[in-house]
Amino acid sequence: MRSSSVDGVQVYTLCGPKQVPRWVLEGKEGVASKKAQRKRRKDGDGQDEASRSIELVQDLGFPASCNRIKKSADGAFLLATGTHAPQVRAYELNQLSMKFSRHLDAEVVDFQVLSEDYAKLAILCHDRSVCFHAKFGAYYKTRVPRHGRDLAYAERTCDLLVASSSPELYRLNLEQGRFLAPLASISPAVNACGISPMHGMLACAGEDGILECFDLRERMSVGSLDVGTTANAGGMGLTSVRFDQTGLQMATGTADGKVLVYDLRSSRPMIIKDHKYGNPIVDLKFHDSGGSSSSKRYVISSDKFAVRIWDKDTGKPFTTIESQVADLNDVCVWDGKGLILMATEAPQVQSYFIPALGPAPSWCSFLEGLTEELEEDTTPTVYEDFKFVTKEELDRLGLNHLVGTSMLRAYMHGFFMDVRLYHKAKSVADPFAYDSYRQERIKQKMEEERKTRIRVRRKLPKVNAEVAAKLLADAEQDNSKADKPDLLGDERFAKMFEDRDFAIDENAEDYKLLHPNAANKKDRKQLINEHFDVIEGEGPGVENVDHDTDTDDERQPGSGAAREPKMFEAKDERAAAAFRERKSLASIRALPLGQLAEALGANKTGQQHRTGFKGGSKELSFVPRTSAAKPKGKRRGIKLPGEVLPAGGGAAGTKRKAKQ
């Protein structure tokens, strides 16, 4: 068993190939010399590579390759299919051994475990056949009209769904023992399908990039989404789909190596994760690390090169496991556990244990003790003889002429080179690199020692204490400038901190004219929390808000990145008016209902007024106005008694003048 650290996460290889580049395993000329080959045959302590591997389950593998691997619902059995010849094998995990092996007529596309244990299996084969197996062996065999691509089982309706190269999803009801009317999809073909374990909704990944959902109770489509256009890959097909345990989120993989996580209540993806390989996503899994509400939830996505584990909510990568020998076909994980099994094109099933992802399953709890012993031992790093450099680093080192030679080996987005050659080239390209590094380290040590020194705490004066505190803070930040004068110790400014006649009154009009933006931050935050509601951001408060009233001198240098702003909405018109006047309504809200109505309606009479506050009732008060107080208006075109209507004044006057 070997251990390696990927992205700061410890990964233990239980049974699999050594984590080295492929060109090292090939044993070609150049860097892979005879000495390196002898080192690969034996580990650093002289033990063989086979002696350091752990056979987690006896005979866990196939003669040629493994296609699919799954566990039973009760977690007591492990089932896998592989070649050659095509066969299915079942392993009893409590005994760590194989229970049976059955041969098939054709290679397996996919299979489903229909019961809690291994008793009932449904196997989809390449010859368009669907085989059913019981405890004693093969039970029944039927065929579907088109070549199948994926298999799903709906427990609520006992329907076995077959996604094929046609727009139809074939339904085989296992309770009635006959085919039912197929489900019609809008895609020309369906590559994958998945059923939610919570509400039973069926999702289909179309060949044209359309994700379509079906309600199996009504046997009709409930909606579709063009995922290919969203992922900037128009016409690119979908290759996998998976629901999470809650049934509210769903992940789908594209043919160009992208994973999109959707919420069923929104048509926009929450996260778009790119594998950067450009290969189809072969499998998706949702993993809960602890099983509690506070535990982290991850997405385990895999293509034929690597398995990536990343956070479901933020998309932050957790760790990556690369397949060094053969292409990946399937991945099997245990809920809340750290064990991962990978079915590849190699004969042996690769197994990995990640303690940070969860504990070991109960049937292999001995892994916990082995990993603790390994943590005490120091193991050599995998790439200790090689250095990975990018194209930009080669330009700085002046080694561009080595591209295409045996001195460099292309790997991912850079090259591998001998670490001795790297150190020699770096010393030639930058001969003073060590001196600059030494000066930087000395500077860091001096800064650490300066922080541990005993500081003399100066007592703040009683007059202008805030100004004195600000001067002391500025002096601590600018301690590198020894020639900067000390205003607190200067006798010319002594009375400023002793005589109350020199006290700064921030409420004075002169001070407000000179400092229009120097309002009291505490009062401003209280007014904002009282009169406004947060519509964006996390929780109430204004601690992370950059307001326009913050002056440049209030922002300390080197304070870090800009803080994320929050959006606020006024609770009502009265709250907005009170905020503009910088007034608080807390004292008014504390009054009884009768006094509250008098306080709100005393200054406004003759107008309709409506009040409503949290924690109290609503009241509508108004004062009627007499008709005498209302001025009489003149209607256009109407002649009043004793008044002469001017010429052209209204339509009625024009008609009357024409008759005369």
Side-chain angles (χ1 to χ4, degrees):
M1 183 169 63
R2 299 173 304 275
S3 65
S4 60
S5 180
V6 182
D7 296 333
V9 179
Q10 203 72 16
V11 179
Y12 296 91
T13 304
L14 306 180
C15 187
K18 191 174 182 179
Q19 300 290 331
V20 293
R22 293 191 179 188
W23 53 270
V24 175
L25 293 174
E26 291 171 0
K28 295 183 179 180
E29 71 282 351
V31 182
S33 59
K34 293 182 179 180
K35 183 178 179 180
Q37 294 177 10
R38 289 195 299 269
K39 188 175 182 180
R40 290 196 305 272
R41 293 193 189 101
K42 287 191 175 183
D43 238 350
D45 53 357
Q47 296 180 353
D48 295 337
E49 185 69 24
S51 64
R52 295 182 62 88
S53 299
I54 295 179
E55 192 174 7
L56 193 61
V57 179
Q58 186 179 4
D59 297 330
L60 184 57
F62 291 86
S65 64
C66 181
N67 298 331
R68 290 287 184 269
I69 181 169
K70 297 180 181 180
K71 63 179 181 65
S72 60
D74 56 3
F77 297 92
L78 183 68
L79 297 104
T81 60
T83 57
H84 186 276
Q87 54 188 298
V88 55
R89 293 183 176 182
Y91 301 88
E92 189 172 359
L93 299 179
N94 292 329
Q95 301 297 327
L96 301 179
S97 61
M98 183 171 62
K99 191 170 185 63
F100 65 81
S101 176
R102 299 172 185 172
H103 286 259
L104 304 171
D105 297 335
E107 293 186 7
V108 177
V109 177
D110 195 9
F111 73 94
Q112 289 291 333
V113 183
L114 306 180
S115 60
E116 294 291 328
D117 53 3
Y118 70 95
K120 298 178 183 179
L121 301 176
I123 306 172
L124 177 64
C125 300
H126 275 284
D127 60 350
R128 296 190 290 114
S129 63
V130 180
C131 304
F132 296 92
H133 282 239
K135 274 190 177 182
F136 54 84
Y139 178 75
Y140 185 74
K141 183 177 181 179
T142 184
R143 292 170 67 89
V144 291
R146 297 292 184 91
H147 289 279
R149 297 183 178 180
D150 199 6
L151 197 65
Y153 177 63
E155 297 181 356
R156 292 175 173 82
T157 59
C158 296
D159 287 343
L160 187 66
L161 302 166
V162 181
S164 63
S165 57
S166 67
E168 297 179 340
L169 278 84
Y170 303 108
R171 293 193 303 144
L172 178 59
N173 189 272
L174 303 184
E175 183 180 10
Q176 303 178 18
R178 65 187 182 92
F179 280 97
L180 301 180
L183 300 176
S185 174
I186 60 178
S187 300
V190 179
N191 292 332
C193 59
I195 298 177
S196 172
M198 181 60 64
H199 47 68
M201 182 181 292
L202 171 67
C204 299
E207 191 179 39
D208 55 350
I210 301 297
L211 180 64
E212 190 173 7
C213 294
F214 291 87
D215 188 355
L216 296 179
R217 299 170 300 179
E218 300 293 336
R219 299 179 297 278
M220 59 182 299
S221 175
V222 295
S224 61
L225 184 64
D226 190 357
V227 178
T229 304
T230 306
N232 296 327
M236 192 66 67
L238 306 180
T239 56
S240 58
V241 64
R242 178 78 61 174
F243 284 93
D244 69 340
Q245 292 80 0
T246 62
L248 295 178
Q249 294 182 356
M250 174 178 54
T252 179
T254 63
D256 60 345
K258 293 182 180 179
V259 180
L260 295 90
V261 180
Y262 283 91
D263 192 298
L264 295 184
R265 296 162 292 187
S266 175
S267 60
R268 296 182 179 179
M270 299 170 55
I271 295 175
I272 300 179
K273 192 72 174 180
D274 194 353
H275 274 222
K276 303 294 185 180
Y277 285 116
N279 295 305
I281 302 297
V282 299
D283 186 69
L284 289 171
K285 295 285 192 306
F286 285 93
H287 184 78
D288 194 346
S289 61
S292 61
S293 59
S294 60
S295 60
K296 292 185 177 180
R297 294 171 173 81
Y298 300 98
V299 176
I300 303 178
S301 56
S302 57
D303 55 15
K304 69 177 185 178
F305 285 140
V307 175
R308 298 186 184 274
I309 307 174
W310 41 280
D311 193 278
K312 184 184 70 171
D313 299 324
T314 62
K316 182 180 179 180
F318 179 72
T319 188
T320 302
I321 304 175
E322 294 185 357
S323 178
Q324 302 293 334
V325 175
D327 296 342
L328 277 170
N329 291 328
D330 198 6
V331 176
C332 180
V333 297
W334 274 257
D335 297 335
K337 308 299 180 182
L339 183 64
I340 297 179
L341 301 181
M342 297 164 51
T344 64
E345 291 294 333
Q348 198 174 28
V349 176
Q350 302 180 26
S351 55
Y352 299 88
F353 178 55
I354 307 176
L357 201 62
S362 58
W363 56 272
C364 59
S365 58
F366 56 87
L367 293 177
E368 300 284 350
L370 294 177
T371 54
E372 291 178 0
E373 295 177 2
L374 270 181
E375 289 178 357
E376 299 176 357
D377 300 336
T378 57
T379 56
T381 57
V382 176
Y383 303 105
E384 59 180 356
D385 297 332
F386 305 98
K387 176 66 176 179
F388 180 81
V389 293
T390 61
K391 191 68 169 58
E392 292 75 12
E393 290 181 288
L394 285 179
D395 296 339
R396 291 194 298 267
L397 297 175
L399 299 179
N400 292 332
H401 60 282
L402 297 181
V403 176
T405 64
S406 59
M407 306 299 293
L408 296 177
R409 291 285 180 164
Y411 183 75
M412 296 178 65
H413 61 284
F415 304 90
F416 270 118
M417 63 183 302
D418 195 291
V419 67
R420 295 170 296 179
L421 176 61
Y422 172 78
H423 289 314
K424 289 181 180 180
K426 189 174 182 180
S427 61
V428 173
D430 191 2
F432 301 102
Y434 176 75
D435 295 337
S436 60
Y437 170 76
R438 184 171 178 272
Q439 294 293 335
E440 187 66 25
R441 290 292 299 172
I442 292 175
K443 186 178 179 181
Q444 292 179 2
K445 290 291 185 181
M446 293 181 64
E447 290 291 338
E448 293 177 359
E449 292 179 359
R450 187 180 292 110
K451 293 179 181 179
T452 58
R453 293 176 183 174
I454 299 176
R455 298 182 180 181
V456 179
R457 294 185 178 181
R458 302 181 62 175
K459 187 176 180 180
L460 295 178
K462 296 182 179 180
V463 181
N464 295 330
E466 296 181 359
V467 179
K470 186 177 180 181
L471 292 176
L472 290 175
D474 294 342
E476 291 180 359
Q477 291 184 356
D478 299 340
N479 51 8
S480 59
K481 300 180 181 179
D483 56 345
K484 188 173 181 179
D486 186 9
L487 299 181
L488 293 177
D490 197 338
E491 296 180 356
R492 296 175 298 174
F493 303 97
K495 289 187 177 181
M496 180 178 177
F497 304 101
E498 296 176 358
D499 193 351
R500 294 189 178 275
D501 294 338
F502 292 93
I504 299 176
D505 186 8
E506 296 183 358
N507 296 324
E509 295 295 334
D510 297 339
Y511 183 85
K512 293 180 180 179
L513 291 175
L514 295 175
H515 304 278
N517 295 329
N520 194 335
K521 291 185 177 181
K522 184 176 180 180
D523 295 342
R524 183 183 64 236
K525 293 178 181 179
Q526 292 178 355
L527 290 176
I528 290 179
N529 288 330
E530 178 183 353
H531 300 306
F532 291 86
D533 292 330
V534 180
I535 59 176
E536 291 185 7
E538 298 181 0
V542 295
E543 287 77 10
N544 297 330
V545 184
D546 286 338
H547 297 287
D548 297 337
T549 57
D550 293 341
T551 56
D552 296 336
D553 55 352
E554 292 173 349
R555 299 174 184 173
Q556 302 295 340
S559 59
R563 295 170 292 179
E564 183 180 358
K566 293 184 178 180
M567 304 298 294
F568 294 87
E569 182 182 9
K571 296 181 179 179
D572 50 23
E573 296 180 359
R574 181 170 295 278
F579 178 76
R580 285 193 293 267
E581 298 175 1
R582 297 186 178 275
K583 293 181 179 180
S584 176
L585 299 178
S587 59
I588 299 179
R589 289 195 178 98
L591 296 176
L593 185 59
Q595 299 179 9
L596 178 62
E598 294 177 0
L600 295 176
N603 54 351
K604 291 187 178 181
T605 59
Q607 296 182 3
Q608 186 174 351
H609 182 69
R610 188 184 301 271
T611 62
F613 296 97
K614 294 182 179 179
S617 303
K618 293 185 177 181
E619 179 180 344
L620 180 66
S621 61
F622 64 94
V623 178
R625 291 179 293 190
T626 60
S627 59
K630 184 177 179 181
K632 295 183 179 180
K634 300 179 181 180
R635 297 179 60 185
R636 187 176 180 183
I638 302 298
K639 182 180 178 182
L640 299 177
E643 183 181 2
V644 180
L645 187 67
T654 305
K655 293 182 180 179
R656 188 180 297 108
K657 186 176 180 181
K659 290 182 179 180
Q660 293 176 358

